Amino acid sequence: MDNGLIVTESFNYAKETLLGKWIRWVIFIICGLPMALFPFVFNPEKIANATTFSWDLIPWKEIAVLFLVAFLLSFILSGYLARIYRGATTPPEFDNWGPLYIDGIKIAVTGFLWFIPMILAFVLMVAFAIVGFSSDSALSGAPGIGITIISLILMLVLAIIGVIYSMMGIIRCARTGSIREGIRFTAITETLRSIGWVNYFIALVVLFVIGIIFFVAISAISLIPYVGDIVQLVFIPFYTVFSARYITRVYEHSEPQAAAPDVMG
């Protein structure tokens, strides 16, 4: 697997998706706008500087509205990404909104299901942490703390498994249209074996490093008042499309005759 070639092809794919295609880019921006507005609605400094804490300092209604709108719009983006996951060689359009939205829901549910074990482990860890520090419990002290540490380790392991398998799972879901297929552990394990575990981990590391570089640069720009927030909103769609295409190309290396990346100019 030539990760350099996949990076180049994915970068060019993101350019072709967004550069000059302003309607697509604007839709991405609109879908990301609710979360971008969050810092303007909720100011932690206001609470930190208050002499006494009051729940009234938190704009609950505004926060609820932004989260609800962001939640509903997120399925538009995940539905669009599902079309990329299917292996479209040319960037897809935002059309056929009904099927697109349903695909987005399926992708989101599939991704969430892979992290349910981690969430349960987290709840277990919190429960044992509370019990472990309780003086009137049989598990107080060392036993409770020990179980808490074990639960934490379990949570981290399940989180890693969730990340590794969810990426392949959502692509499988996008291509089959089935949530059940997106969470088939044995089938996805076979996909990972076909790719090669070492190849897959290297591909994830490459994507992770690129993501760190991108978001560090974006975070630095975000320090500029107002302008920084706009820059984030505008450029994050580029990385979103890039990463979707990148992981799709990695997935396709599990297929017997994966097409060589068509490097677009």
Side-chain angles (χ1 to χ4, degrees):
M1 183 188 300
D2 189 339
N3 287 294
L5 192 58
I6 295 176
V7 168
T8 301
E9 189 270 345
S10 300
F11 180 82
N12 289 331
Y13 189 93
K15 284 199 304 182
E16 184 174 323
T17 300
L18 297 173
L19 293 185
K21 308 300 189 297
W22 306 118
I23 293 179
R24 292 180 195 159
W25 209 327
V26 167
I27 293 174
F28 268 96
I29 292 173
I30 291 173
C31 290
L33 190 58
M35 294 309 297
L37 292 175
F38 186 79
F40 296 95
V41 172
F42 178 63
N43 185 4
E45 292 183 2
K46 182 178 179 182
I47 297 176
N49 295 331
T51 55
T52 58
F53 175 78
S54 173
W55 291 107
D56 294 335
L57 294 173
I58 302 177
W60 295 107
K61 291 182 179 179
E62 291 82 355
I63 290 175
V65 169
L66 286 179
F67 271 114
L68 177 61
V69 174
F71 178 74
L72 295 176
L73 291 178
S74 69
F75 299 127
I76 295 176
L77 293 184
S78 56
Y80 183 83
L81 296 181
R83 295 178 177 179
I84 297 177
Y85 295 145
R86 291 193 184 107
T89 55
T90 57
E93 297 290 345
F94 279 102
D95 55 14
N96 297 320
W97 292 90
L100 180 142
Y101 203 80
I102 293 173
D103 285 344
I105 293 174
K106 288 181 178 180
I107 290 297
V109 170
T110 300
F112 174 75
L113 290 176
W114 277 108
F115 289 94
I116 286 181
M118 182 208 72
I119 294 172
L120 294 177
F122 174 76
V123 172
L124 186 68
M125 181 192 70
V126 172
F128 279 116
I130 294 173
V131 172
F133 289 101
S134 175
S135 59
D136 57 353
S137 170
L139 293 177
S140 62
I145 295 174
I147 296 176
T148 300
I149 294 174
I150 293 174
S151 300
L152 174 60
I153 295 173
L154 176 62
M155 184 189 74
L156 293 175
V157 170
L158 291 174
I160 293 172
I161 293 174
V163 170
I164 292 172
Y165 277 79
S166 64
M167 289 188 176
M168 296 294 99
I170 59 177
I171 297 177
R172 185 177 175 84
C173 172
R175 296 193 173 203
T176 62
S178 169
I179 294 175
R180 178 179 296 180
E181 289 297 320
I183 58 174
R184 282 187 62 192
F185 186 87
T186 54
I188 296 173
T189 299
E190 185 58 36
T191 297
L192 294 173
R193 286 175 180 167
S194 298
I195 296 171
W197 287 98
V198 174
N199 289 334
Y200 184 61
F201 284 128
I202 292 175
L204 290 185
V205 169
V206 170
L207 183 61
F208 180 72
V209 170
I210 293 174
I212 289 178
I213 294 172
F214 176 82
F215 283 103
V216 166
I218 288 293
S219 297
I221 297 174
S222 68
L223 297 176
I224 304 173
Y226 303 111
V227 175
D229 296 317
I230 296 174
V231 170
Q232 284 192 78
L233 196 59
V234 169
F235 283 98
I236 284 179
F238 191 92
Y239 179 77
T240 301
V241 174
F242 164 83
S243 59
R245 179 61 178 172
Y246 178 90
I247 204 66
T248 299
R249 290 299 304 153
V250 172
Y251 177 92
E252 289 174 348
H253 278 75
S254 69
E255 299 170 351
Q257 295 180 335
D262 179 17
V263 180
M264 296 173 287

